[in-house]
C-alpha cells in the first residue's frame, strides 16, 4: 500500500516522496527578480518530493502584488537559475508556477492603466499595492484580439522557465486569477467565444495549456484548479459541471499532473453549490495532487485510499523546512506565523528551525 513516502514518477522525474511543497506567494523579490534570500528559502525545503514555486508573473501585465518574482525577462531567468541550481545540487525538483493575476491587481502596478479581465467586474475586497491596501477597481474587459498575445505570453514564460532550469511548470488556473476568471461564470459575462457555456469559458485555460505544452512538452506541465475557493470574489453557478468539463478537456494533453486545491477559506458553498471533488479524481487520467489543510494522517489516508497520488502542503512547509524529516520521525511541527507570510526579509522566511539531527 502506498503512503507519503512511496516514490512516484511524475513525467520524466523520479520523485522520492509524495510530500509536495504547495505554491505560496511570499513577496520577497522587491525588484521582481529572484534573489539569494529566495534561493536559501527554496534550498531549505528541498526534501519535498516536488517544490512548486510561488506564483511567478508571466508578463508585466500579469502582476498584481508587490515584490513577486517574474518569469519573463532575462534577469528573472538568471535569478531563478540560481534557485533551481541550488535545488538540483541538493537533489530536489522544482516546478515554476505561471501566474497572471488579471483583475486581482491595481492601476498602481500598470502606470495608471486598468488591470485586465474577461469582463468588467470588480473583485470583492482590496488589492495589496506598494502603498498598502486599496480598493479593487473595475477591470478593463479584454478585447478578443488581445487574447492570443496573452496565450503567447504564457508560452514565452514557460520557455523562460525551461531556460531557468525548472523541471516543469504549473499553470495557475486557481484562486480567482486570470484563467479562473475566465472559467467561472461569476467573473465571466463575455458574449464571444470565451464566454457563456463552459466550452467557451474553458477555452482560455485550454489554449494556454496547449501553448505551454507545445513550448516545453506536456510531461513537464501541470495545472492547478480550485473548484471550491471563493477567494478574490469567485463564484460559479455550477462548479460540478464547470470543473468536470475542464478536467475532461485537460485529459487530452497528457499532462504531468492535475493539482486540485480543496481550499474554501472556511466558507463552504460560498463559491457555488458544493460537490464531491472525488468525481474529478475519477475523471482525471493522470497524476492527481490534492491540497488544503492536510496533516500527515489525512494525507496518508488520501494516498492509501487512492483519493490522491500526492499531497501539496502549504503553511506546514512554510514553517517546517524539514517537513519530510519531521513526518518521517513523527516529530513536533513549528507553527506558521501569518504576520510574516507576505513581504519582509529573512524573519519568518528562512529562520524557521530544523530538527536536530537524529
Ligand atoms: C495569498 C496572497 C497572495 C497571493 C493564490 C497566489 O492564492 C495566491 C496568493 C495567495 O494562489
Amino acid at each position: 500500500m502506498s503512503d507519503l513516502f512511496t516514490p512516484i514518477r511524475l513525467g520524466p522525474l523520479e520523485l522520492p516522496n509524495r510530500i509536495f511543497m504547495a505554491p505560496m506567494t511570499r513577496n520577497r523579490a522587491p525588484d521582481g527578480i529572484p534573489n539569494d534570500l529566495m534561493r536559501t528559502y527554496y534550498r531549505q525545503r528541498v526534501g519535498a518530493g516536488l517544490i512548486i514555486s510561488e506564483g511567478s508573473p508571466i508578463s508585466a501585465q500579469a502582476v498584481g502584488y508587490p515584490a513577486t518574482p517574474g518569469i519573463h525577462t532575462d534577469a528573472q531567468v538568471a535569478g531563478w537559475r540560481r534557485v533551481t541550481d541550488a535545488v538540483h545540487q541538493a537533489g530536489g525538483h522544482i516546478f515554476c508556477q505561471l501566474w497572471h493575476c488579471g483583475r486581482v491587481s491595481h492601476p498602481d502596478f500598470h502606470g495608471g492603466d486598468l488591470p485586465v479581465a474577461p469582463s468588467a467586474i470588480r473583485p470583492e475586497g482590496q488589492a495589496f499595492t506598494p502603498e498598502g491596501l486599496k480598493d479593487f477597481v473595475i477591470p478593463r474587459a479584454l478585447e478578443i484580439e488581445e487574447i492570443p498575445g496573452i496565450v503567447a505570453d504564457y508560452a514565452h514564460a514557460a520557455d523562460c522557465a525551461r531556460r531557468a532550469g525548472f523541471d516543469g511548470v504549473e499553470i495557475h488556473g486557481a484562486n480567482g486569477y486570470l484563467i479562473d476568471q475566465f472559467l467561472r461564470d461569476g467573473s465571466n459575462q463575455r458574449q464571444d467565444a470565451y464566454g457563456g457555456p463552459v466550452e467557451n469559458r474553458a477555452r482560455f485555460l485550454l489554449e494556454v495549456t496547449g501553448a505551454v505544452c507545445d513550448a516545453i512538452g506536456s510531461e513537464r506541465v501541470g495545472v492547478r484548479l480550485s473548484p471550491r475557493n471563493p477567494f478574490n470574489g469567485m463564484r460559479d453557478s455550477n462548479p460540478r459541471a464547470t470543473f468536470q468539463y475542464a478536467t475532461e478537456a485537460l485529459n487530452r494533453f497528457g499532462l504531468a499532473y492535475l493539482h486540485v486545491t480543496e481550499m474554501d477559506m472556511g466558507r463552504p458553498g460560498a463559491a457555488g453549490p458544493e460537490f464531491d471533488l472525488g468525481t474529478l479524481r475519477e475523471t482525471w487520467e493522470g497524476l492527481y495532487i490534492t491540497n488544503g489543510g492536510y496533516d500527515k494522517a489525512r494525507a496518508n489516508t488520501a494516498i492509501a485510499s487512492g483519493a490522491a497520488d500526492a499531497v501539496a502542503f502549504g503553511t506546514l512547509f512554510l514553517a517546517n523546512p524539514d517537513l519530510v524529516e519531521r513526518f518521517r520521525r513523527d516529530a513536533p511541527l513549528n507553527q506558521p506565523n501569518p504576520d510574516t507570510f507576505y513581504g519582509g526579509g529573512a524573519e519568518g522566511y528562512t529562520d524557521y528551525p530544523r530538527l536536530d539531527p537524529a
Side-chain angles (χ1 to χ4, degrees):
M1 197 170 70
S2 294
D3 69 8
L4 285 169
F5 294 97
T6 309
I8 188 167
R9 169 177 274 274
L10 184 145
L13 308 177
E14 299 285 353
L15 307 179
N17 65 63
R18 298 161 185 237
I19 303 164
F20 291 6
M21 179 172 161
M24 284 177 284
T25 291
R26 304 304 310 275
N27 310 83
R28 258 69 171 195
D31 53 2
I33 299 173
N35 52 46
D36 282 358
L37 182 63
M38 288 174 53
R39 179 174 189 250
T40 299
Y41 165 76
Y42 282 109
R43 187 181 48 206
Q44 286 175 342
R45 286 159 180 75
V46 74
L50 179 69
I51 296 171
I52 305 163
S53 83
E54 63 205 281
S56 191
I58 60 158
S59 65
Q61 185 197 64
V63 173
Y65 293 84
T68 51
I71 186 71
H72 56 98
T73 71
D74 286 346
Q76 290 164 348
V77 168
W80 277 122
R81 171 56 87 167
R82 289 177 49 72
V83 173
T84 66
D85 280 351
V87 167
H88 291 145
Q89 277 158 21
H93 294 99
I94 181 166
F95 270 39
C96 183
Q97 198 195 44
L98 304 184
W99 192 25
H100 191 311
C101 293
R103 68 179 187 170
V104 181
S105 185
H106 191 275
D108 287 2
F109 293 110
H110 306 291
D113 289 346
L114 292 174
V116 300
S119 299
I121 302 171
R122 185 191 3 214
E124 289 162 18
Q126 293 187 301
F128 293 85
T129 80
E131 295 172 1
L133 288 173
K134 296 189 182 180
D135 288 346
F136 282 122
V137 300
I138 300 174
R140 177 175 72 77
L142 285 162
E143 302 293 338
I144 196 165
E145 296 79 20
E146 295 177 274
I147 292 177
I150 301 178
V151 173
D153 287 342
Y154 276 96
H156 172 252
D159 194 56
C160 286
R162 181 190 58 73
R163 286 169 47 219
F166 283 100
D167 296 291
V169 303
E170 176 174 287
I171 296 169
H172 193 342
N175 300 347
Y177 301 104
L178 185 63
I179 291 172
D180 200 20
Q181 289 160 30
F182 272 92
L183 193 56
R184 292 197 254 179
D185 61 13
S187 44
N188 183 346
Q189 295 180 353
R190 298 182 73 91
Q191 311 229 320
D192 60 12
Y194 292 87
V198 65
E199 293 79 7
N200 285 355
R201 285 182 280 116
R203 190 179 308 281
F204 183 64
L205 164 68
L206 300 175
E207 287 182 354
V208 168
T209 303
V212 168
C213 288
D214 286 348
I216 64 167
S218 61
E219 73 284 3
R220 294 188 180 274
V221 179
V223 168
R224 191 178 210 212
L225 300 174
S226 59
R228 308 177 67 213
N229 201 348
F231 188 43
N232 294 313
M234 294 304 289
R235 205 187 141 72
D236 191 77
S237 59
N238 189 350
R240 173 197 296 274
T242 296
F243 289 93
Q244 181 69 24
Y245 177 82
T247 302
E248 271 169 27
L250 286 169
N251 266 331
R252 70 166 180 261
F253 294 100
L255 299 177
Y257 65 78
L258 179 66
H259 181 182
V260 176
T261 177
E262 300 176 358
M263 284 189 296
D264 65 3
M265 300 183 74
R267 294 161 52 201
E274 290 280 295
F275 71 105
D276 177 6
L277 294 180
T279 59
L280 303 183
R281 196 305 185 250
E282 281 161 26
T283 298
W284 181 244
E285 292 165 4
L287 282 195
Y288 187 94
I289 307 175
T290 193
N291 161 259
Y294 280 81
D295 60 14
K296 177 185 169 183
R298 273 187 65 222
N300 269 329
T301 301
I303 290 173
S305 70
D309 296 303
V311 180
F313 296 89
T315 48
L316 289 188
F317 241 121
L318 180 157
N320 296 276
D322 53 352
L323 183 65
V324 172
E325 186 59 20
R326 287 176 192 252
F327 278 170
R328 200 184 299 279
R329 287 159 61 177
D330 279 319
L333 301 176
N334 301 321
Q335 292 309 305
N337 174 12
D339 293 343
T340 49
F341 280 2
Y342 309 115
E347 189 198 343
Y349 190 54
T350 53
D351 63 355
Y352 284 103
R354 310 180 77 85
L355 290 173
D356 293 332

